[in-house]
Amino acid sequence: MAEILVQRAASPDEFTRLTAITWINEFVKLGRDQLVPYYADILGAILPCISDKEEKIRVVARETNEELHAIKADPAETFDVGAILSITRRQLDSEWEATRIEALHWISTLLNRHRAEVLCFLHDIFDTLLKALSDSSDEVVLLVLDIHACIAQDPLNFRQLVVFLVHNFRVDHSLLERRGALIIRRLCVLLDAERVYRELSTILEGEADLDFACIMVQALNLILLTSSELSELRGLLKQSLVNAAGKDLFVSLYASWCHSPMAIISLCLLAQMYQHASAVIQSLVKEDINAKFLVQLDKLIRLLETPIFAYIRLQLLEPGRYIWLLKALYGLLMLLPQKSSAFKRLRTRLKTVPLCSFNGDQLKRASSGNPYSQILCHSGSQISEDGDITQDNGNLQNGINFASRLQQFEQMQQQHRMLAKSQAQSRISSASLSKV
């Protein structure tokens, strides 16, 4: 009888569907645990009806769905978790948002009640769940992320999730543009921001597609600098020169952030490593200052005026102490076209700096020699010209070898330049062949 009703629930005739779904509703209320063997089939009939064009059918379908949720079935008996997951996976391809949402609620319910059994079928649903991240509905995407976060509580599944996520961003750049910020921010809330960023950085450090790696790092950097969900991560990075955990995070992100000059400069400014920021800016003399570069630089200048970087603007009140910050900002100013809005914005800011607090010795130290060897004495302790405590007089500050980091950045940028040159030569060759 149950099988017949399930078939009739998919009838093109509206009255037949309503009658079938009403009978199913009564059977579920009366039979409850006795209907467990037909659980998957009933669910397969109910989920599409939740989005039916007829309101009466939708109401009965939702009521039946709630009744099914209330049944506490045991996989050790006749409750088939795999069959239900198969049904919900198919319904994730439904054209109706309400049906997709309920299918995801069922997957979430099964994870909460029968986690071990669901993970046994993970390979059957994982790709479909990843595909659902591209869904047109924000509510669907958020539910999918909740499910992924629940699955990723296990380290192996966490790694698999982040790897597949990066892969999806790589093959579908529009997903990164449309959903990237939403996905990353939500995962940071659900799975710990530091853990997510460290894993992403590790993957992108070895990314073969350099163009994609640059785009991805720029997106992650913008999220890091602007999202309220990552405020604790920003706070940790600000302590990089005096806090071992902050230093470790800085080094962890640095390798992948090297894909983008603006990202690495932003990271240094956030971590208050102004000497290194200045050194990175000086190294950009080798860069091709093209439109893409200037667009990223314009974004950085705009960000400097946001509340996130308020501490930098206040530090400019003590230019004698933060001389490398001032030099870094002037370095950015020199890279900008004079007629650009970014140039005018940054120049206006720098005009407010009380330069009267400088002395000749400080200017001389900042304008000559190795930036990493300049140490000032202040209140009996050694501090860098950025006002940050240092541990020795060479290139090593708080365990960070900045000379080595700069070399790492320059090597990565050299790879990007070689790729750009190769791509340009390929375009020229293709254009020449098309004319033949």
Side-chain angles (χ1 to χ4, degrees):
M1 185 66 174
E3 294 176 356
I4 295 174
L5 291 174
V6 166
Q7 293 174 3
R8 294 294 184 267
S11 170
D13 179 69
E14 184 178 298
F15 179 75
T16 302
R17 292 200 308 278
L18 178 58
T19 303
I21 206 72
T22 303
W23 273 91
I24 290 174
N25 179 263
E26 292 299 323
F27 271 130
V28 170
K29 288 180 178 178
L30 295 172
R32 298 188 67 82
D33 295 351
Q34 298 176 40
L35 290 176
V36 168
Y38 305 100
Y39 212 109
D41 292 333
I42 293 173
L43 190 61
I46 293 299
L47 289 177
C49 289
I50 285 175
S51 302
D52 198 280
K53 60 183 180 181
E54 175 55 47
E55 183 179 0
K56 292 180 180 178
I57 296 176
R58 295 198 302 270
V59 170
V60 177
R62 288 193 175 279
E63 183 181 329
T64 309
N65 187 57
E66 291 174 6
E67 291 287 342
L68 288 174
H69 269 293
I71 298 175
K72 305 293 184 182
D74 187 355
E77 297 173 358
T78 55
F79 184 66
D80 191 341
V81 172
I84 295 175
L85 285 174
S86 180
I87 291 293
T88 55
R89 180 179 60 80
R90 287 201 298 269
Q91 294 304 325
L92 288 178
D93 292 328
S94 170
E95 63 178 308
W96 305 110
E97 179 183 358
T99 294
R100 300 196 302 274
I101 288 173
E102 283 306 320
L104 289 168
H105 279 310
W106 270 103
I107 295 175
S108 180
T109 298
L110 291 175
L111 267 171
N112 291 330
R113 293 180 182 175
H114 314 293
R115 178 181 178 82
E117 288 79 6
V118 172
L119 293 182
C120 290
F121 297 96
L122 184 59
H123 64 281
D124 294 331
I125 63 171
F126 198 76
D127 288 345
T128 304
L129 287 172
L130 284 171
K131 181 182 176 182
L133 290 172
S134 303
D135 197 277
S136 58
S137 165
D138 282 351
E139 186 175 354
V140 169
V141 172
L142 291 174
L143 283 171
V144 172
L145 289 172
D146 287 345
I147 292 170
H148 276 303
C150 185
I151 294 172
Q153 291 174 6
D154 302 321
L156 182 60
N157 291 328
F158 173 76
R159 170 73 180 180
Q160 187 181 15
L161 167 62
V162 180
V163 168
F164 271 85
L165 186 59
V166 172
H167 172 73
N168 276 16
F169 285 147
R170 186 189 304 110
V171 298
D172 184 6
H173 285 194
S174 64
L175 175 62
L176 179 60
E177 294 172 4
R178 292 183 292 106
R179 301 287 188 196
L182 175 67
I183 292 171
I184 298 300
R185 289 169 62 182
R186 186 60 181 167
L187 285 180
C188 285
V189 171
L190 296 171
L191 293 173
D192 179 60
E194 183 176 351
R195 184 186 180 198
V196 171
Y197 262 70
R198 281 179 179 273
E199 192 66 39
L200 285 167
S201 180
T202 300
I203 294 170
L204 292 172
E205 181 182 352
E207 174 61 46
D209 186 342
L210 296 182
D211 286 337
F212 164 71
C214 183
I215 294 171
M216 185 75 190
V217 164
Q218 288 169 357
L220 291 174
N221 185 63
L222 185 61
I223 296 168
L224 173 63
L225 295 177
T226 59
S227 299
S228 58
E229 295 89 344
L230 277 74
S231 59
E232 291 186 10
L233 205 62
R234 290 193 295 270
L236 184 59
L237 283 168
K238 286 179 185 178
Q239 302 296 318
S240 295
L241 281 174
V242 294
N243 181 292
K247 176 204 73 174
D248 191 51
L249 177 59
F250 175 84
V251 173
S252 176
L253 297 182
Y254 192 98
S256 59
W257 258 236
C258 284
H259 284 291
S260 168
M262 290 307 109
I264 209 71
I265 293 170
S266 301
L267 183 65
C268 290
L269 293 178
L270 184 60
Q272 303 189 69
M273 297 182 179
Y274 304 134
Q275 286 185 337
H276 191 61
S278 179
V280 168
I281 293 168
Q282 292 289 335
S283 75
L284 296 180
V285 67
K286 303 173 185 177
E287 289 295 317
D288 176 20
I289 309 298
N290 53 29
K292 289 183 179 180
F293 181 93
L294 291 175
V295 167
Q296 291 299 313
L297 183 52
D298 181 84
K299 288 182 180 179
L300 175 57
I301 301 306
R302 290 176 183 273
L303 285 170
L304 290 175
E305 294 297 320
T306 64
I308 297 297
F309 283 113
Y311 66 93
I312 282 182
R313 301 195 295 275
L314 291 175
Q315 286 171 350
L316 289 174
L317 293 173
E318 302 179 82
R321 184 182 180 193
Y322 296 97
I323 192 168
W324 287 106
L325 168 60
L326 194 64
K327 186 170 183 179
L329 295 179
Y330 269 107
L332 293 177
L333 186 70
M334 295 301 106
L335 293 173
L336 289 164
Q338 288 191 35
K339 294 184 178 181
S340 67
S341 59
F343 179 89
K344 295 174 183 177
R345 186 179 295 108
L346 183 55
R347 183 180 60 176
T348 300
R349 173 62 63 184
L350 290 173
K351 280 183 178 180
T352 64
V353 175
L355 297 178
C356 58
S357 62
F358 278 116
N359 63 52
D361 291 339
Q362 290 171 334
L363 288 171
K364 184 177 180 181
R365 279 193 293 268
S367 61
S368 64
N370 182 351
Y372 300 116
S373 64
Q374 312 301 329
I375 304 294
L376 292 176
C377 292
H378 183 75
S379 302
S381 63
Q382 286 190 321
I383 62 171
S384 73
E385 294 193 27
D386 294 326
D388 297 313
I389 299 172
T390 62
Q391 292 186 346
D392 43 62
N393 296 343
N395 293 334
L396 202 65
Q397 293 185 14
N398 196 31
I400 302 176
N401 189 326
F402 283 110
S404 176
R405 297 280 82 81
L406 181 61
Q407 184 179 24
Q408 184 181 24
F409 169 74
E410 291 177 335
Q411 289 174 348
M412 180 61 74
Q413 288 306 302
Q414 177 62 20
Q415 292 181 38
H416 279 272
R417 286 193 291 272
M418 291 174 63
L419 175 63
K421 183 178 179 180
S422 174
Q423 291 173 338
Q425 290 175 344
S426 297
R427 287 193 294 269
I428 293 172
S429 299
S430 299
S432 299
L433 290 173
S434 63
K435 293 179 181 179
V436 176

